[in-house]
Amino acid sequence: MQLVFSDAQYWEDFLPLTFTRPVAEMRCGILTFSERWQKILENTEVSFFTEMYLQGKFPEPEKKESLFLVANFLPSETVIQQIKDLKQGEALVYEDELIAARINMDGFSLQQIEKMTDIKEELVFFKKPTDLFTYNQKAIDFDFELLTKGRTSQELSSTNGFLGDQKDLFIEEGAQIEFSTLNTRTGKIYIGKNAEVMEGCMLRGPIALGESSKFNLGSKIYGATTIGPHCKVGGEVNNIIIFGYSNKGHEGFIGNSVIGEWCNFGADSNSSNMKNNYGNVRLWNYRTKAFEDTGLQFAGLIMGDHSKTAINTQLNTGTVIGVASNIFREGFPPNLVENFSWGGFKDDEKFKLDKAYEVAGRAMARRNVVLQEEDKAILKHVFDTY
């Protein structure tokens, strides 16, 4: 039976991160939402009910019996069992929203649902970009248990300093850590397969470092921070998520932020995560087309895929950067940088699409990934439409 991940309620709320992916392909904790549910349900046959322009890369559901699932929440053991026990025509509802249903995707309709059950317990639900870093510690704890239960960590080299309980540290095969300090008193630390923590790093959990990613020399990493696969991170970061394949390799600070894939920060780029007046941070909302109060005192940067900053770039508190933007002009760019901006300021010209393909192709080749026609089609749609 196929898993069908639905974007119906939330896709627009997670822009610009979802311009280039379904909601289920975002990362929080150690895993993406899709990876987490595949692990929980022991099912790797997945498809996506998402925007039509994304379906070329993310396969549409086949017309057969399916488990229809809203992916962006952390389930309890009870809810997991409720989902597994669903029979044809049954569904689960949380806060008046359908989140899981056993249906046939041939002629999909809510009229197929004969029985709806309300979930009464409170769940950790991700409804907007800031929720990803706000609840990241809960997601790291969830994934740590899911991935490490019954398994044995690789040993931590004696060259390192360690504070905390060893059960809260897990090092996957092939990872390298030397002459660094790791503190799990404040949260768990997960080091992925073939990842590297270079000399002089200071890690204060909760932290997840993805497969083949690196913390560069002398990095200062505060939790709750997730670095996806194939990234390089240096300088100082605090409570950020990088989906994967992005670099912040040099000095500079980023805090309380979410960064997409194939992004790059020039040396000494800095992002403010708190206003000088200590007030709540406002962020651009693509659904309402307005800046809205996040209710948070700490909120830094939301950056879409393929965007980049030049050296010494300064980003204000509550900045949203779209897809394939290049920020290089002097001074603070505005709090909303549009997709394909060439410069980063409001009246700057757009980055030419063919040049954007060239840059994306070169960046991806550095990680032995090929820019596919499906990727180009997604970028073209964003370029033409938004």
Side-chain angles (χ1 to χ4, degrees):
M1 182 173 63
Q2 69 177 336
L3 279 174
V4 178
F5 294 117
S6 171
D7 277 1
Q9 299 103 315
Y10 294 105
W11 180 82
E12 195 170 11
D13 295 316
F14 282 102
L15 295 173
L17 303 169
T18 46
F19 274 131
T20 47
R21 62 176 55 78
V23 170
E25 291 295 278
M26 295 191 302
R27 186 175 303 276
C28 182
I30 302 172
L31 305 167
T32 66
F33 291 111
S34 171
E35 290 168 344
R36 182 176 301 118
W37 281 106
Q38 290 177 66
K39 184 79 173 175
I40 291 169
L41 300 174
E42 300 177 337
N43 188 335
T44 57
E45 184 184 354
V46 301
S47 58
F48 299 87
F49 192 73
T50 185
E51 301 297 300
M52 282 303 300
Y53 79 91
L54 295 173
Q55 299 281 201
K57 181 175 181 179
F58 302 96
E60 292 184 69
E62 295 182 26
K63 296 180 178 180
K64 63 181 184 180
E65 186 178 348
S66 305
L67 177 59
F68 187 81
L69 189 65
V70 173
N72 44 302
F73 70 96
L74 300 178
S76 65
E77 289 295 330
T78 301
V79 170
I80 290 171
Q81 195 58 52
Q82 285 179 292
I83 291 172
K84 289 180 176 179
D85 290 343
L86 285 173
K87 295 180 173 57
Q88 188 72 18
E90 295 182 347
L92 298 176
V93 175
Y94 181 72
E95 295 181 344
D96 298 322
E97 295 278 3
L98 185 147
I99 63 169
R102 183 87 170 264
I103 55 175
N104 195 313
M105 293 303 293
D106 187 6
F108 167 65
S109 169
L110 294 181
Q111 293 178 348
Q112 291 184 43
I113 299 173
E114 301 167 356
K115 179 184 176 182
M116 291 192 179
T117 302
D118 281 314
I119 296 173
K120 302 297 185 183
E121 62 186 290
E122 186 175 353
L123 300 175
V124 177
F125 224 103
F126 302 85
K127 298 181 179 180
K128 54 186 182 296
T130 55
D131 287 347
L132 297 174
F133 63 75
T134 299
Y135 303 129
N136 196 36
Q137 178 162 6
K138 294 181 184 295
I140 288 174
D141 287 347
F142 187 99
D143 289 347
F144 190 96
E145 175 69 14
L146 184 66
L147 291 173
T148 69
K149 188 174 183 179
R151 301 176 61 219
T152 301
S153 170
Q154 305 299 305
E155 289 189 12
L156 180 66
S157 167
S158 61
T159 67
N160 296 285
F162 180 76
L163 293 170
D165 194 322
Q166 286 283 347
K167 70 178 176 57
D168 293 327
L169 171 67
F170 198 93
I171 305 169
E172 294 283 4
E173 183 179 353
Q176 301 176 56
I177 313 171
E178 301 291 349
F179 292 98
S180 292
T181 60
L182 295 83
N183 183 353
T184 64
R185 289 178 178 175
T186 51
K188 296 172 171 44
I189 296 178
Y190 174 89
I191 307 297
K193 183 179 179 181
N194 298 326
E196 182 178 7
V197 179
M198 293 184 180
E199 303 90 301
C201 291
M202 293 173 278
L203 278 58
R204 187 177 179 90
I207 292 168
L209 181 64
E211 181 175 347
S212 299
S213 284
K214 295 181 180 181
F215 286 137
N216 285 349
L217 289 166
S219 301
K220 299 178 285 292
I221 314 297
Y222 297 85
T225 285
T226 292
I227 308 300
H230 302 280
C231 295
K232 294 179 182 178
V233 172
E236 181 180 359
V237 302
N238 181 0
N239 189 204
I240 73 166
I241 294 173
I242 300 180
F243 286 172
Y245 298 94
S246 292
N247 291 339
K248 184 221 166 288
H250 305 287
E251 294 301 318
F253 172 78
I254 298 177
N256 306 94
S257 298
V258 186
I259 313 299
E261 294 184 338
W262 310 111
C263 297
N264 189 74
F265 292 86
D268 203 33
S269 290
N270 287 277
S271 173
S272 169
N273 65 336
M274 186 178 73
K275 297 171 68 174
N276 285 351
N277 64 5
Y278 302 94
N280 286 354
V281 179
R282 292 160 59 86
L283 275 174
W284 179 256
N285 185 306
Y286 285 85
R287 184 186 291 277
T288 62
K289 296 179 172 54
F291 286 96
E292 297 195 348
D293 188 344
T294 63
L296 300 173
Q297 192 176 63
F298 293 93
L301 169 68
I302 309 296
M303 178 183 272
D305 288 5
H306 295 286
S307 285
K308 297 167 179 63
T309 70
I311 60 170
N312 299 312
T313 298
Q314 302 173 96
L315 300 171
N316 256 318
T317 316
T319 294
V320 175
I321 298 173
V323 173
S325 298
N326 280 263
I327 300 171
F328 54 80
R329 299 203 188 283
E330 184 179 357
F332 286 93
N335 287 80
L336 173 64
V337 177
E338 296 177 354
N339 297 319
F340 293 89
S341 174
W342 183 251
F345 284 75
K346 185 175 181 180
D347 296 325
D348 285 333
E349 63 181 310
K350 289 183 77 171
F351 191 16
K352 292 181 172 57
L353 187 59
D354 59 341
K355 295 297 183 183
Y357 291 158
E358 285 182 24
V359 173
R362 290 184 196 132
M364 294 169 76
R366 285 161 52 90
R367 298 288 192 273
N368 297 314
V369 179
V370 176
L371 179 70
Q372 304 288 349
E373 291 303 315
E374 294 88 345
D375 300 309
K376 291 182 180 180
I378 290 171
L379 291 174
K380 185 177 189 306
H381 182 90
V382 175
F383 183 90
D384 291 340
T385 309
Y386 299 103

